[in-house]
Amino acid sequence: MTSVEEPARPGERIRDAARTRAEILDVATREFARAGYDGARVDEIAARTRTTKRMIYYYFGGKEQLFTAVLERAYRVIREAEQQLDVDHLDPVAAVRRLAEVTFDHHERHPDFIRLVSIENIHGAQHIAASEELGRMGSPALDVIRRILAAGRESGLFTADVDAVDLHAMISAFCFFRVSNRHTFGALFGRDLVDPAQREHYRAMLGDMVIAYLTAERTAD
């Protein structure tokens, strides 16, 4: 009697394809972050996975589409973190501090995200601009910030005339710089911005700066 291997069921094939895509994206994320878009090689990505260059092209279409998929997943992760942000039970000052902490923690835990964004800026955001998914994704954090700012103004706690995008940029700038410029800053000033011993200092400083700006007394011009 001849033994015949049972063919994979449709559900198993879907799960296998999902695992393969995820593995490719994991390896591609590390390779693009390490070598940049121009320096990364699909051959190298294939060699570090359990698949082939041909299968990478089958799943993603090419290097450009693969990099776009890497960016889409990286932004999806931070958007999911923003969607889980629950600050409605906090007063506006505590809510702003919590928002800043979430961004701080995410950027610190995902240095590859920082490198990918830096690389995409070198390329003029051409992959993000062409991505329908990223165009639809938006930023859940902006809706949260708008609610916090409205509550802060209504209570009289916030005096700054700042919109959600400006506040988002203010928070992101500190968090991004701390990770992206760690090495150059350390070489120039002898201070490691991601030194674990100074983590809580910088985390609190970010919240203090943002709250101080939003609550500062304003003098009439």
Side-chain angles (χ1 to χ4, degrees), residues 75 78 82 99-108 113-114 117-118 121 142 145 164-182 184-185 193-194 202 205-207 209-210:
Y75 274 100
I78 192 170
E82 292 171 353
L99 173 71
E101 290 171 349
V102 166
T103 306
F104 183 97
D105 294 345
H106 179 276
H107 284 32
E108 180 181 71
F113 172 74
I114 304 300
V117 173
S118 298
N121 272 287
L142 293 181
I145 293 172
V165 175
D166 284 345
L167 185 58
H168 181 64
M170 184 178 181
I171 294 170
S172 295
F174 181 90
C175 298
F176 196 96
F177 181 93
R178 176 173 169 264
V179 179
S180 68
N181 289 45
R182 171 189 182 179
T184 52
F185 196 88
L193 292 174
V194 297
Y202 288 121
M205 188 172 79
L206 169 62
M209 288 191 300
V210 175

Side-chain angles (χ1 to χ4, degrees), residues 94-210:
V96 164
R97 188 178 291 277
R98 180 63 188 136
L99 173 71
E101 290 171 349
V102 166
T103 306
F104 183 97
D105 294 345
H106 179 276
H107 284 32
E108 180 181 71
R109 286 195 301 264
H110 298 86
D112 281 352
F113 172 74
I114 304 300
R115 287 190 282 270
L116 290 169
V117 173
S118 298
I119 292 163
E120 179 64 353
N121 272 287
I122 291 172
H123 290 271
Q126 64 187 43
H127 303 91
I128 289 178
S131 168
E132 292 183 6
E133 178 178 341
L134 288 172
R136 294 192 306 267
M137 197 178 294
S139 176
L142 293 181
D143 293 332
V144 175
I145 293 172
R146 290 186 185 102
R147 294 200 303 271
I148 296 172
L149 289 174
R153 293 188 187 107
E154 184 177 352
S155 66
L157 289 170
F158 294 168
T159 57
D161 183 18
V162 58
D163 68 11
V165 175
D166 284 345
L167 185 58
H168 181 64
M170 184 178 181
I171 294 170
S172 295
F174 181 90
C175 298
F176 196 96
F177 181 93
R178 176 173 169 264
V179 179
S180 68
N181 289 45
R182 171 189 182 179
H183 299 294
T184 52
F185 196 88
L188 290 169
F189 302 106
R191 182 169 298 179
D192 184 357
L193 292 174
V194 297
D195 179 358
Q198 294 298 313
R199 180 180 190 275
E200 291 308 313
H201 164 71
Y202 288 121
R203 198 169 184 259
M205 188 172 79
L206 169 62
D208 291 344
M209 288 191 300
V210 175

